[in-house]
């Protein structure tokens, strides 16, 4: 099962530990393209996509598009500087 985390390129603290452990943490260069990145990850068989709260606010599709899909889970997490 493939899992990824998304954060803004300016956010060097969110998911820092996970990135240092080698997990797939993606920095979004243009937050207006958040939906495109999520679609790309889904097409590449990522089953769990975890978004920082800041990134989630730029995505208009995540709730409506993926809410009823059983094969993809989108998780919005508050920014925790300790992760």
């Amino acid at each position: 099962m493939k899992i990824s985390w998304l954060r803004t390129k300016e956010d060097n603290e969110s998911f820092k530990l996970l990135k240092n452990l080698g997990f797939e943490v993606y920095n979004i260069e243009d937050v207006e393209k958040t939906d495109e990145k999520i679609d790309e990850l889904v097409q590449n068989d990522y089953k769990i996509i975890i978004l920082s709260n800041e990134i989630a606010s730029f995505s208009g599709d995540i709730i409506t598009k993926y809410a009823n899909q059983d094969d993809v889970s989108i998780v919005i997490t508050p920014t925790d500087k300790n992760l």
Side-chain angles (χ1 to χ4, degrees), residues 2-55:
K2 295 169 84 174
I3 303 172
S4 67
W5 288 264
L6 299 178
R7 64 184 183 183
T8 64
K9 71 175 182 175
E10 294 85 16
D11 183 358
N12 291 320
E13 297 298 319
S14 296
F15 314 128
K16 185 177 182 177
L17 175 62
L18 297 168
K19 185 171 179 87
N20 289 340
L21 290 173
F23 289 96
E24 299 289 333
V25 177
Y26 295 99
N27 295 328
I28 303 295
E29 298 286 326
D30 181 1
V31 292
E32 298 298 325
K33 295 186 178 187
T34 299
D35 289 331
E36 291 175 25
K37 184 63 177 179
I38 293 170
D39 287 337
E40 176 187 324
L41 292 170
V42 170
Q43 289 175 4
N44 287 315
D45 293 325
Y46 281 84
K47 300 300 181 192
I48 300 174
I49 301 170
I50 302 170
L51 309 173
S52 69
N53 196 27
E54 183 180 6
I55 283 288

